Amino acid sequence: MKKSKWIVIAAFIGMGCFYNILSAQTPKYLNPSLSTDERVSDLVSKLSLAQKIKLMQYTGTAVETNGLKIPAYNWWNECLHGVARAGKATVFPQAIGLAATWDTALIFKVADAISDEARAKYNYFSSKGQRGIYQGLNFWTPNINIFRDPRWGRGMETYGEDPFLTGKMSSSFVRGLQGNNPNYFKTIATVKHFAVHSGPESQRHRFNANVSDYDFYHTYTPAFRMAIQDAGVYSLMCAYNRFRDKPCCGSDFLLTNLLRNKWGFKGFIVTDCWAVDDFYKKGDHEVVHTAEEATALAIKSGVDLECGNAFNAIDKAIEQHLVTEAELDVALKRLFTARFKLGFFDDVSSLSFTKIPYSVVESESHKELSLQAAKKSIVLLKNNNQLLPLNKSIKTLAVIGPNANEEEVMLANYNGFPSHVITPLEGIKKKIPYAKVLYAVGTAVAEGLPVLKVIGENYLFTTSDATVHGLIGNYYNNKNFKGKSVVTRNDKEINFNWIENVPDAKLNQFEYSVEWNGYLKAPQDGEYKLDVYGCNKFELFLDDKKLFDFSSEHEPQHRNFSVKLTKDKANKIRLRFVNSGSTPLVKLNWQEPNQNLEKEAIEVASKADAVVMVMGLTPRIEGEEMDIKLDGFDGGDRTKLQLPVVQQSLIQKIHALGKPVVLVLVNGSAVAVNWEKENIPAILESWYGGEQSGKAIADVLFGDYNPSGRLPVTFYTSENDIPAFDNYDMSGRTYRYFKGKPLFPFGYGLSYTTFSYSNLKVPQRIQKEQPLMVSVDVTNTGKKDGEEVAELYLSATNKTEQSAINSLKGFQRLALKAGETKKVTFVVNPVDYSDALEGNDVKISVGGSQPGFSAVKETVVPVDAN
């Protein structure tokens, strides 16, 4: 053999040896040539028990021992309708508003935009060494519980009362968040709260949901199944409540038998926050006695990750032989599979979503998408005598109502913060710049809820002699006001939103504290409500007496205290604020005494040619487990469906003036506007519409957009129409089982044009286990271009006692020019229509609403007995 050949062979042998040396030096978990399962198993095998315990908790402690380099990773993150609680973000309409679009393509685009912003933010945070709460890439979104009762305060976070609509909308949202890369997730979505969870908020830590199999499989779980099997969601959150006597986060039936064995769920399961504590906490579930028993029950049932700290007792649970380390390994492998699929242990720089620039956050295209979503979400409930659209040449318009100019309301909850919110007042003013637009608040949202405004500089002073306006702010580069302040300045008023920057370049962006000192002088004698609004930690003192302190690290909150002030007396005031990395917001507000808001509103309305009243609810009183008790509201839930009495009174008095009145509702749940439906000529439902809400409302009011939203919930006439709130039996609830007459039905929504349906085509027989094909022609019979939502309903003709009256099984949104006709085709999968096959025949109905509420095309088709 020639010498050169020996050289080549030796070279190959040498390269092989070199490769083997490199492979020996590189841990398997960092070797991208191996399968994810091999890499994950290698990593988990290197962890100590103490490390495993910490890694199964949401705070995700870093591990840098025994050759391991695992960065810290906090699993808690939110993006319900935009990246939440992490600084600036595009804020889209609240989930219930997105549901009102009935537009799966749109909701995919919204979720895709959200995940773009999420990736951009993650890139930024990680480049700064920040890996804390709200800075990761898995999100505890969407909330797909069924909004079975309008009293539930968190219902606004859902996609409404129907399981099919919820399943389709949430599946599109999940796909938009997780992306379509076959090897990596763009972000990870989490469907919640599993299962049978929808209030009351005050009972969620101890409630036991006992429902029939029929309701369980046909109402409470289809959306979860669809998100898992159709959209491949990779994370699920179990609920606080019990289901059939077992805590949902400790139910092997829910988390193992159903989720994993029957539905084939491959992802990881996280508890709702501190839900494991409820297993043993006195007054809650009390199904076990200790934290270690609770921990073992959760892990054995299928939980992989805890939001809370009960899992600190895992070591005791192992000592007591309640759980094994091998069972921990199963959970950890699922968690690390998620982290590998997010690209945390690979060079993923070539992937498109790792290159998304920060400039995408609240970009112009995302603002436009938010506007489109807000417009499509608006539902026209009434339009007598075509009062709408309003004429842009109107000379004087009155805009009245507590929600007309309140930015906070438009953002709902679980929200980020945009650079600017367009309120209805602002949107209307910009729409008719040559008109005179008069404005008045008119009333509080509810009796006892303060009407607040920022305390202006005219009432704040640096010294007791009241010669210099403002408060002295001392800014510290730590969280405890220690040492010398790095910045001292005069702040004229306390109204700051530091979501994208810091008060001063000398401060640490993620950790600082501020103390403001000075004097407050009231313009009149009386009782004031002093209020602080913000996120993080606060203390407020008046004349050296602490009025209150609070910590709000998740959602911005209001805290207020009643004080009696004397005109022109200088009262010493001190406000302390600590920013610890979450959304830094702080406002110092008050409600002044002796306000006659109603009188002002009547005076304003009397001068106008027409009146737009922007009324409804607010996330200050409907939401998650809130410390609130007012007439009609309790703990975040509602006790009455009507508008608060103070709003009803104002609406009736403004109507009595004889002016044309348009009612715009801003709210997250159905309201019983009974008198208003009979007496107010035009009513719009706009939900909590996000940062572009005001522009969207103005576009609809003045005809630049033809409304096309549909109700995702039933509007009842009274809470007395439906069963008790804590009754989870579906009988008498939602459009599927409610036998009374609704105020406005599910699926309802008017337009500035009209549509007709014709040429309905259905199969001669329904073949079981075969897709059902239905088609129909839709024509715009009016004079305006518009969008229609075609709705397909099925119902069994021979119903059982528990059968649904009608069930939505298909919907499509389509744009039609005046006079245009389009064919719509529905394909319904057997798993989605099986509940309608309870008799020998099935009624198929297609139209722009539910059967019975407008002209629809319908026919009866026999079911193949085989």
Side-chain angles (χ1 to χ4, degrees):
M1 186 178 290
K2 291 184 180 180
K3 185 177 180 180
S4 60
K5 289 185 178 180
W6 283 113
I7 293 172
V8 172
I9 292 171
F12 276 111
I13 293 172
M15 289 174 64
C17 292
F18 181 67
Y19 176 78
N20 289 335
I21 292 170
L22 284 179
S23 297
Q25 292 175 343
T26 303
K28 285 184 179 180
Y29 80 93
L30 293 178
N31 186 344
S33 67
L34 299 177
S35 70
T36 299
D37 287 346
E38 288 178 285
R39 298 171 69 187
V40 168
S41 295
D42 176 64
L43 189 156
V44 172
S45 71
K46 299 176 185 296
L47 297 170
S48 68
L49 175 59
Q51 291 165 343
K52 291 176 181 180
I53 292 171
K54 292 298 183 184
L55 288 167
M56 289 179 66
Q57 297 175 70
Y58 78 99
T59 46
T61 307
V63 176
E64 294 186 357
T65 58
N66 300 328
L68 291 172
K69 288 188 177 181
I70 305 173
Y73 184 70
N74 193 305
W75 294 83
W76 191 337
N77 213 345
E78 308 284 358
C79 68
L80 181 62
H81 53 124
V83 177
R85 306 172 178 176
K88 186 174 78 168
T90 306
V91 179
F92 296 91
Q94 176 62 296
I96 194 68
L98 292 174
T101 70
W102 290 53
D103 192 333
T104 55
L106 174 72
I107 202 171
F108 174 86
K109 291 178 182 177
V110 167
D112 187 45
I114 292 170
S115 59
D116 277 356
E117 296 196 8
R119 270 286 173 176
K121 284 180 169 291
Y122 171 77
N123 295 342
Y124 172 76
F125 287 133
S126 58
S127 72
K128 299 289 186 181
Q130 297 294 312
R131 300 182 181 277
I133 192 170
Y134 310 132
Q135 295 173 341
L137 282 175
N138 68 284
F139 291 88
W140 294 348
T141 297
N143 181 344
I144 62 172
N145 292 128
I146 297 302
F147 197 178
R148 65 181 178 91
D149 192 303
R151 288 169 285 203
W152 187 33
R154 296 190 72 180
M156 68 165 119
E157 301 172 23
T158 76
Y159 298 120
E161 69 183 36
D162 181 74
F164 184 81
L165 178 65
T166 298
K168 289 296 184 183
M169 297 296 278
S170 61
S171 291
S172 289
F173 196 86
V174 167
R175 291 187 192 100
L177 284 186
Q178 296 193 163
N180 56 10
N181 187 288
N183 299 314
Y184 296 99
F185 288 120
K186 189 179 181 186
T187 68
I188 290 178
T190 303
V191 287
K192 64 184 185 185
H193 311 80
F194 195 66
V196 197
H197 178 87
S198 53
E201 283 297 293
S202 62
Q203 299 178 32
R204 67 182 187 174
H205 299 285
R206 57 184 179 273
F207 186 77
N208 185 25
N210 276 306
V211 299
S212 68
D213 279 352
Y214 187 90
D215 286 345
F216 182 72
Y217 287 110
H218 292 300
T219 295
Y220 291 112
T221 59
F224 287 95
R225 175 189 54 77
M226 292 166 73
I228 290 165
Q229 295 182 340
D230 299 345
V233 71
Y234 208 70
S235 175
L236 176 140
M237 177 179 283
C238 48
Y240 285 116
N241 56 280
R242 294 197 307 284
F243 172 70
R244 295 177 178 171
D245 302 324
K246 287 189 176 182
C248 291
C249 292
S251 168
D252 54 354
F253 166 73
L254 289 177
L255 307 186
T256 298
N257 296 344
L258 183 59
L259 274 178
R260 298 198 184 279
N261 297 342
K262 186 173 182 179
W263 290 348
F265 179 62
K266 302 299 184 185
F268 67 91
I269 296 170
V270 59
T271 71
D272 209 336
C273 295
W274 283 266
V276 178
D277 289 18
D278 293 343
F279 292 13
Y280 64 93
K281 189 176 178 182
K282 190 171 180 58
D284 292 335
H285 298 315
E286 294 189 78
V287 295
V288 294
H289 301 289
T290 64
E292 48 266 36
E293 290 175 295
T295 290
L297 177 58
I299 294 170
K300 282 183 171 294
S301 298
V303 165
D304 304 304
L305 178 71
E306 187 207 10
C307 180
N309 52 25
F311 275 19
N312 282 326
I314 287 177
D315 54 351
K316 291 182 180 179
I318 290 177
E319 288 174 8
Q320 297 172 27
H321 304 291
L322 299 173
V323 72
T324 67
E325 192 167 349
E327 288 171 310
L328 307 188
D329 291 349
V330 171
L332 285 161
K333 287 176 181 178
R334 292 177 185 143
L335 295 176
F336 275 107
T337 297
R339 293 177 72 168
F340 272 89
K341 286 182 174 292
L342 286 169
F344 291 167
F345 296 94
D346 294 339
D347 179 5
V348 292
S349 58
S350 62
L351 299 179
S352 59
F353 51 68
T354 65
K355 300 175 183 178
I356 297 172
Y358 198 83
S359 58
V360 75
V361 177
E362 211 193 5
S363 61
E364 289 304 314
S365 63
H366 286 185
K367 290 180 184 178
E368 177 61 27
L369 183 60
S370 179
L371 174 62
Q372 292 301 318
K375 288 193 290 192
K376 288 189 175 188
S377 73
I378 293 174
V379 183
L380 178 60
L381 297 176
K382 183 182 178 184
N383 193 20
N384 271 16
N385 301 317
Q386 285 73 53
L387 174 60
L388 294 177
L390 296 173
N391 194 322
K392 291 181 184 175
S393 62
I394 190 170
K395 292 183 179 179
T396 305
L397 179 70
V399 179
I400 293 170
N403 288 340
N405 197 38
E406 184 56 66
E407 294 183 6
E408 182 187 334
V409 173
M410 307 301 152
L411 302 181
N413 70 349
Y414 282 90
N415 58 285
F417 288 87
S419 54
H420 180 66
V421 177
I422 301 176
T423 64
L425 177 63
E426 181 184 347
I428 290 169
K429 283 184 173 180
K430 288 183 177 179
K431 183 64 65 176
I432 49 173
Y434 303 109
K436 189 174 185 180
V437 178
L438 308 175
Y439 164 65
V441 174
T443 177
V445 171
E447 184 70 34
L449 190 72
V451 178
L452 301 168
K453 63 180 180 180
V454 173
I455 302 176
E457 64 176 285
N458 289 338
Y459 311 107
L460 298 174
F461 300 91
T462 60
T463 56
S464 58
D465 59 8
T467 55
V468 179
H469 290 283
L471 298 179
I472 298 298
N474 287 298
Y475 293 73
Y476 299 85
N477 232 343
N478 53 64
K479 296 191 294 183
N480 47 23
F481 313 97
K482 295 281 184 167
K484 186 178 180 181
S485 62
V486 296
V487 176
T488 299
R489 70 187 197 189
N490 183 334
D491 291 321
K492 297 301 182 183
E493 61 181 29
I494 312 304
N495 182 13
F496 296 114
N497 181 339
W498 291 311
I499 58 176
E500 277 300 286
N501 48 38
V502 287
D504 191 277
K506 299 188 182 92
L507 291 170
N508 182 323
Q509 180 179 359
F510 300 102
E511 292 188 1
Y512 57 86
S513 55
V514 190
E515 181 177 273
W516 289 279
N517 285 280
Y519 292 83
L520 171 68
K521 292 181 67 175
Q524 58 179 306
D525 294 347
E527 186 171 289
Y528 291 72
K529 283 279 179 86
L530 291 184
D531 174 272
V532 173
Y533 170 73
C535 201
N536 289 281
K537 297 179 181 179
F538 297 90
E539 291 179 305
L540 181 65
F541 300 81
L542 189 69
D543 293 327
D544 293 322
K545 176 185 177 182
K546 182 188 287 189
L547 300 185
F548 56 77
D549 60 58
F550 72 97
S551 178
S552 174
E553 298 198 7
H554 307 308
E555 295 280 289
Q557 293 184 16
H558 285 273
R559 285 291 188 276
N560 50 68
F561 191 88
S562 295
V563 295
K564 289 186 177 180
L565 300 177
T566 302
K567 181 180 179 180
D568 291 335
K569 178 185 176 183
N571 299 274
K572 189 177 180 181
I573 191 167
R574 175 160 53 114
L575 174 62
R576 305 182 102 197
F577 162 68
V578 177
N579 175 52
S580 56
S582 56
T583 304
L585 295 168
V586 54
K587 289 186 180 183
L588 179 59
N589 308 301
W590 65 6
Q591 175 181 269
E592 298 181 60
N594 307 319
Q595 298 182 87
N596 196 331
L597 301 176
E598 186 179 89
K599 179 182 178 182
E600 180 187 4
I602 292 172
E603 289 175 353
V604 162
S606 66
K607 299 175 184 177
D609 300 315
V611 182
V612 174
M613 301 195 73
V614 189
M615 315 298 278
L617 306 175
T618 167
R620 287 172 61 188
I621 55 177
E622 63 168 343
E624 181 178 5
E625 202 173 23
M626 304 172 73
D627 183 17
I628 192 87
K629 192 170 183 64
L630 299 168
D631 181 33
F633 305 90
D634 184 13
D637 294 322
R638 300 167 63 192
T639 58
K640 299 178 181 178
L641 298 189
Q642 292 77 15
L643 285 173
V645 172
V646 289
Q647 291 192 52
Q648 294 182 53
S649 173
L650 179 63
I651 292 171
Q652 292 173 18
K653 288 177 181 178
I654 297 297
H655 171 265
L657 297 175
K659 308 280 185 175
V661 176
V662 179
L663 174 60
V664 177
L665 296 171
V666 178
N667 45 281
S669 53
V671 286
V673 284
N674 304 311
W675 184 92
E676 293 80 4
K677 181 185 178 184
E678 293 299 317
N679 294 278
I680 302 299
I683 305 175
L684 285 181
E685 172 58 73
S686 71
W687 317 105
Y688 298 129
E691 64 178 76
Q692 300 290 319
S693 182
K695 188 176 190 313
I697 290 169
D699 282 349
V700 171
L701 286 175
F702 291 94
D704 289 333
Y705 184 80
N706 191 345
S708 56
R710 296 289 189 273
L711 291 181
V713 291
T714 301
F715 277 42
Y716 304 97
T717 60
S718 168
E719 63 277 3
N720 297 322
D721 289 350
I722 50 179
F725 187 10
D726 58 3
N727 178 357
Y728 269 70
D729 189 327
M730 287 305 298
S731 177
R733 294 186 180 282
T734 76
Y735 80 96
R736 298 168 72 222
Y737 305 102
F738 177 60
K739 295 179 181 179
K741 184 179 179 180
L743 185 67
F744 296 107
F746 171 89
Y748 174 84
L750 302 176
S751 170
Y752 293 154
T753 188
T754 55
F755 300 92
S756 68
Y757 289 73
S758 61
N759 198 26
L760 175 65
K761 292 184 177 180
V762 300
Q764 291 185 340
R765 301 185 70 85
I766 293 178
Q767 305 289 331
K768 289 184 178 181
E769 304 304 323
Q770 295 295 320
L772 172 62
M773 307 283 289
V774 177
S775 68
V776 70
D777 291 340
V778 185
T779 301
N780 182 342
T781 55
K783 297 181 180 180
K784 293 179 181 289
D785 298 347
E787 292 187 56
E788 170 73 335
V789 178
E791 305 170 28
L792 167 68
Y793 294 85
L794 301 183
S795 62
T797 56
N798 300 322
K799 294 181 173 61
T800 65
E801 184 66 26
Q802 59 189 0
S803 298
I805 300 168
N806 289 295
S807 289
L808 179 73
K809 297 301 177 184
F811 59 93
Q812 288 189 38
R813 174 184 274 267
L814 61 158
L816 293 166
K817 296 185 180 301
E820 184 180 11
T821 298
K822 287 183 180 179
K823 181 179 181 179
V824 176
T825 300
F826 300 95
V827 180
V828 188
N829 294 321
V831 69
D832 294 325
Y833 71 70
S834 62
D835 60 331
L837 306 184
E838 296 172 357
N840 297 322
D841 302 315
V842 171
K843 184 175 72 173
I844 300 175
S845 307
V846 184
S849 72
Q850 273 186 73
F853 294 99
S854 68
V856 299
K857 291 294 178 183
E858 58 186 35
T859 188
V860 175
V861 178
V863 178
D864 193 324
N866 297 324

